[in-house]
Amino acid sequence: MEDYQDKINISSIPEIEIKSLPEYINLICQIARVWRNYIGPIDYVDNETETDDSYHDVREPFPGELIPWFRGNRLSKYNLEPALLRENNTLGMERYLAGMENNGNDKTNVLSVIKSIEGYMMRRFITAGLPHTNVKHQETMQWMMLMQHNGLPTRLLDWTKSSLVALHFAVTKKMDDEENKSKHCSVWMLDPRRLQESHGEGRRKIYTDVDNKVKAYLSLEKDSISSKVPIPVIPSHVHDRIIAQQSRFTLHNHVRNSLHNFGSQVAEESGCPPLVKILIPSEFKDDFGKGLRLMGVSVQEVIPGLDSIAEEIRRRMLLSVKGMY
């Protein structure tokens, strides 16, 4: 198998093209090994001034979120931007900023726009959604996760601990999506420990949705506004899709392109980028999809529900007709 070391250890965010499922697995293993070696093991100290269980913490001990995070994009051109902050999102900021400008308001007041959009959608979603979930009214972050998994634009960006789930979302086209069939897709790979480290917490702890830091970011308080870096979040299991997809999130504030800027800066400073973009040419997407099906990864497993079961049956019926996977 190909050795990717020279493509991984660089001072910018790598973009590496692969053409088969074995290449994909091999590349992920090599990236994970590089990241583990960069972090290094626990360096224990044994002297009279230190206790037996202390250590000299040069690069932080290894544990924390041991597995990298992955995100699949059906189109490789997509940036690492949550839906609410994306340009040309008809439900997002651009539409409302244009409306503010037309009404003579200050277009630069991005925070006000975000809070207005989020507040409206959150209130409507909670009011109508309470009978359908056990999530308490005051658990705002958990409601945002439910909004994200049900198609509303938020400041959350979806990630997963499963490289195969991410690959599924990258290569599996919608049943009627012929337009994007000939376009390249991608899988992003993130080291959440170094993202966590950028917030001064070290690498051992990844935030959960009940942590105060997450709540401050969610409310766009002063401390979160001053940061230019998203925070990694391990979600509570409030939805069956979060469980099935082994979901993780990055929570963003009002700063666009913040995750990409973080990756570029860390790569330039360390020579070991915390972000890698894996490119998959369009002509190989069907082969990847067939390989995933053989490994038991399909829409029925990744997105639980009767609608996914129906879609999976439709795909099976069309296998011999259109060669779909």
Side-chain angles (χ1 to χ4, degrees), residues 72-121:
N73 284 338
R74 285 196 177 98
L75 296 179
S76 61
K77 68 178 183 180
Y78 288 162
N79 294 325
L80 294 174
E81 200 82 278
L84 194 61
L85 302 185
R86 290 175 195 160
E87 296 182 1
N88 302 319
N89 180 357
T90 56
L91 294 178
M93 284 203 305
E94 292 297 318
R95 178 183 179 185
Y96 285 86
L97 285 171
M100 288 176 64
E101 187 179 46
N102 293 335
N103 292 328
N105 295 319
D106 183 5
K107 187 177 179 180
T108 62
N109 194 358
V110 177
L111 288 175
S112 175
V113 176
I114 293 175
K115 289 181 179 180
S116 175
I117 298 171
E118 278 189 343
Y120 172 78
M121 291 192 298

Side-chain angles (χ1 to χ4, degrees), residues 123-137 143 146:
R123 289 191 300 272
R124 295 299 299 265
F125 190 76
I126 292 176
T127 300
L130 276 171
H132 303 282
T133 178
N134 294 323
V135 176
K136 296 179 180 179
H137 188 283
W143 280 106
L146 290 175

Side-chain angles (χ1 to χ4, degrees), residues 254-285:
H254 65 298
V255 180
R256 285 178 167 172
N257 299 316
S258 54
L259 197 53
H260 195 278
N261 292 339
F262 156 77
S264 298
Q265 181 178 346
V266 173
E268 184 176 352
E269 293 173 352
S270 67
C272 183
L275 271 174
V276 176
K277 185 177 185 180
I278 302 172
L279 296 171
I280 301 169
S282 59
E283 60 265 32
F284 298 101
K285 287 196 290 187

Side-chain angles (χ1 to χ4, degrees), residues 181-226:
K181 182 177 181 180
S182 61
K183 297 179 181 178
H184 298 348
C185 60
S186 64
V187 172
W188 284 92
M189 189 170 174
L190 167 69
D191 185 352
R193 294 160 296 180
R194 283 191 281 165
L195 182 59
Q196 179 78 22
E197 184 184 40
S198 67
H199 291 276
E201 298 284 353
R203 297 186 180 119
R204 292 193 226 177
K205 174 188 174 184
I206 302 293
Y207 295 115
T208 65
D209 55 73
V210 298
D211 285 327
N212 289 332
K213 181 82 171 185
V214 174
K215 293 179 180 179
Y217 244 69
L218 192 62
S219 63
L220 293 174
E221 294 177 359
K222 184 176 180 180
D223 290 345
S224 71
I225 295 172
S226 62

Side-chain angles (χ1 to χ4, degrees), residues 133-252:
T133 178
N134 294 323
V135 176
K136 296 179 180 179
H137 188 283
Q138 66 271 23
E139 296 295 342
T140 308
M141 180 61 183
Q142 294 183 8
W143 280 106
M144 182 174 284
M145 293 187 300
L146 290 175
M147 289 168 62
Q148 176 74 10
H149 269 279
N150 285 279
L152 283 175
T154 72
R155 286 183 286 125
L156 293 174
L157 194 64
D158 289 293
W159 296 83
T160 172
K161 287 178 64 177
S162 170
S163 60
L164 297 183
V165 168
L167 184 61
H168 165 83
F169 282 116
V171 304
T172 304
K173 59 184 179 293
K174 296 179 180 179
M175 296 284 288
D176 55 353
D177 187 13
E178 292 298 323
E179 179 182 353
N180 293 324
K181 182 177 181 180
S182 61
K183 297 179 181 178
H184 298 348
C185 60
S186 64
V187 172
W188 284 92
M189 189 170 174
L190 167 69
D191 185 352
R193 294 160 296 180
R194 283 191 281 165
L195 182 59
Q196 179 78 22
E197 184 184 40
S198 67
H199 291 276
E201 298 284 353
R203 297 186 180 119
R204 292 193 226 177
K205 174 188 174 184
I206 302 293
Y207 295 115
T208 65
D209 55 73
V210 298
D211 285 327
N212 289 332
K213 181 82 171 185
V214 174
K215 293 179 180 179
Y217 244 69
L218 192 62
S219 63
L220 293 174
E221 294 177 359
K222 184 176 180 180
D223 290 345
S224 71
I225 295 172
S226 62
S227 174
K228 296 182 179 179
V229 182
I231 57 176
V233 180
I234 298 176
S236 298
H237 289 175
V238 295
H239 196 285
D240 54 0
R241 292 183 183 180
I242 289 177
I243 300 171
Q245 296 171 17
Q246 302 181 52
S247 292
R248 296 292 188 264
F249 295 104
T250 48
L251 173 61
H252 301 237

